[in-house]
């Protein structure tokens, strides 16, 4: 499997996980147990046709586009996010039908003159998963860079909408995990690598104070927990834990993303974040063509991703 196979698999995997979760977002785990998602559905929560992706993929694709340029510009990326919110840029059907509260507030601050990397909220309640869901392209673009350089970029990109150290740290840990998978490690090996590298890097201010929130990830084996102990709400820690758990307790791309979506709750984001990791490990060939064909604006997405992969 080539690096490009893994990179394409990861990005398509994230978008497919998102689209699988859109119709059932906010449903309970009990509901998903009684009526599990097994393929692309339509309508549901947002009354959107099958293959529709949400803010997760819109913001991820904006990040892909920004990182396809020779030099990254925070102002350019924040401008794309604002264009998405206001005018439906990089959306499946020309409108922004879903946006997180913290993200919306941050973009309003940017619109009103706050520098992009100072626009993200820093309060305890600003630790939703709105930057984690779009951070994957950083790991793909900077996989050959030293870890500290990759994390520096990840923190900056997170800060546009989520500037709290906890959100930045979650994004960084996810990027370390993705970097390991991209370099051919198995999921358990990648997890151990993430724990080792993350523990070393984040043992300094302002991140050391956030350690207690990552105890289950950094000092235990998250895969040993039962499903009942895995939360799947919009809190960034929940999403990071759930995505790692789904990957580590599954044996295929399909099993990983369907398990993520059927946890209920924030189904599109859990599906997106877990799907990105699963696509990295299992590669493009592991994703069934029917799911790719169902994605709205499939050809446009393909062109955007091919340009990025060629950088």
């Amino acid at each position: 499997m080539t690096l490009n196979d893994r990179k394409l698999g990861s990005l398509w995997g994230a978008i497919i996980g998102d689209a699988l979760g859109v119709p059932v977002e906010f449903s309970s785990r009990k509901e998903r147990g009684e009526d599990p998602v097994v393929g692309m559905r339509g309508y549901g929560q947002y009354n959107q046709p099958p293959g529709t992706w949400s803010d997760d993929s819109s913001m991820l694709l904006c990040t892909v586009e920004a990182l396809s340029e020779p030099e990254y510009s925070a102002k350019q990326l924040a401008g794309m996010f604002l264009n998405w919110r206001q005018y439906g840029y990089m959306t499946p059907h020309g409108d922004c039908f879903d946006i997180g509260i913290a993200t919306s507030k941050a973009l309003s601050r940017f619109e009103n003159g706050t520098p992009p990397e100072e626009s993200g909220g820093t309060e305890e309640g600003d630790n939703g998963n709105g930057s984690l869901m779009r951070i994957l392209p950083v790991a793909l673009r900077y996989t050959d860079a030293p870890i500290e350089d990759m994390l520096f970029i990840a923190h900056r990109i997170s800060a546009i909408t989520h500037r709290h150290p906890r959100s930045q740290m979650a994004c960084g840990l996810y990027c370390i995990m993705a970097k390991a998978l991209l370099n051919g490690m198995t999921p358990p090996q990648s997890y151990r690598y993430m724990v080792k590298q993350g523990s070393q890097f984040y043992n300094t201010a302002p991140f050391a104070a956030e350690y207690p929130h990552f105890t289950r990830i950094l000092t235990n084996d998250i895969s040993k927990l039962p499903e009942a102990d895995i939360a799947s709400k919009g809190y960034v820690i929940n999403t990071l834990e759930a995505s790692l758990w789904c990957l580590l307790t599954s044996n295929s791309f399909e099993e990983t993303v369907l398990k993520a979506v059927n946890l209920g709750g924030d189904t599109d984001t859990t599906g997106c974040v877990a799907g990105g990791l699963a696509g990295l490990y299992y590669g493009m060939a592991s994703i069934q063509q029917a799911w790719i064909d169902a994605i709205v604006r499939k050809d446009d997405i393909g062109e955007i991703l091919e340009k990025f992969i060629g950088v």
Side-chain angles (χ1 to χ4, degrees):
M1 196 185 306
T2 67
L3 285 177
N4 285 357
D5 288 333
R6 292 190 186 277
K7 290 180 179 181
L8 281 174
S10 69
L11 294 169
W12 275 113
I15 294 167
I16 285 167
D18 177 14
L20 286 166
V22 165
V24 295
E25 188 176 12
F26 306 129
S27 60
S28 69
R29 193 166 301 180
K30 182 175 182 294
E31 289 175 304
R32 296 282 56 79
E34 295 170 350
D35 179 26
V37 173
V38 295
M40 288 291 171
R41 296 186 180 189
Y43 309 101
Q45 175 66 25
Y46 296 103
N47 197 34
Q48 299 289 331
T52 296
W53 26 282
S54 74
D55 54 328
D56 301 54
S57 295
S58 290
M59 300 188 81
L60 181 143
L61 288 168
C62 286
T63 307
V64 164
E65 192 168 52
L67 293 179
S68 295
E69 299 297 327
E71 291 189 17
Y72 164 67
S73 165
K75 185 176 181 180
Q76 179 194 36
L77 180 55
M80 288 180 188
F81 291 160
L82 192 60
N83 196 11
W84 155 70
R85 186 188 73 172
Q86 296 185 178
Y87 303 109
Y89 179 69
M90 205 69 81
T91 59
H93 304 294
D95 68 307
C96 173
F97 64 84
D98 185 26
I99 185 171
I101 295 172
T103 295
S104 185
K105 288 181 177 178
L107 294 181
S108 292
R109 286 190 284 268
F110 170 69
E111 184 180 21
N112 292 325
T114 301
E117 293 175 1
E118 297 175 16
S119 295
T122 58
E123 301 298 321
E124 176 78 17
D126 293 321
N127 284 304
N129 53 25
S131 62
L132 179 64
M133 69 190 192
R134 58 178 172 81
I135 207 67
L136 176 61
V138 174
L140 307 185
R141 179 69 175 83
Y142 296 98
T143 189
D144 293 330
I147 284 182
E148 56 268 25
D149 293 349
M150 178 186 72
L151 296 181
F152 177 68
I153 295 292
H155 299 158
R156 290 176 58 195
I157 289 181
S158 174
I160 295 174
T161 58
H162 293 70
R163 194 157 55 103
H164 193 285
R166 192 177 312 161
S167 290
Q168 293 185 30
M169 186 173 172
C171 287
L173 290 171
Y174 184 79
C175 285
I176 296 172
M177 182 77 179
K179 179 183 177 75
L181 290 167
L182 186 58
N183 287 320
M185 295 186 195
T186 65
Q189 289 171 337
S190 299
Y191 179 64
R192 290 192 292 271
Y193 178 81
M194 181 200 72
V195 169
K196 180 180 178 180
Q197 298 297 327
S199 297
Q200 292 176 355
F201 185 87
Y202 288 117
N203 199 26
T204 57
F207 302 106
E210 297 300 319
Y211 246 75
H213 299 283
F214 294 88
T215 297
R216 297 208 309 179
I217 294 174
L218 293 177
T219 62
N220 298 296
D221 184 348
I222 197 77
S223 70
K224 302 301 183 184
L225 295 178
E227 181 186 281
D229 288 349
I230 301 298
S232 51
K233 296 182 180 180
Y235 176 41
V236 69
I237 300 292
N238 289 169
T239 305
L240 180 60
E241 288 186 346
S243 65
L244 293 170
W245 182 84
C246 288
L247 178 72
L248 292 165
T249 59
S250 300
N251 293 300
S252 68
F253 171 81
E254 184 170 317
E255 182 183 3
T256 302
V257 291
L258 293 179
K259 183 177 288 188
V261 169
N262 287 315
L263 288 175
D266 198 358
T267 52
D268 58 338
T269 304
T270 308
C272 178
V273 176
L277 294 179
L280 262 177
Y281 180 62
Y282 295 106
M284 189 67 190
S286 70
I287 304 174
Q288 55 176 283
Q289 189 63 42
W291 283 358
I292 296 172
D293 290 341
I295 296 296
V296 176
R297 296 186 60 190
K298 175 192 71 171
D299 293 339
D300 292 336
I301 291 173
E303 290 181 10
I304 293 167
L305 300 189
E306 289 290 348
K307 179 182 178 183
F308 176 69
I309 297 304
V311 172

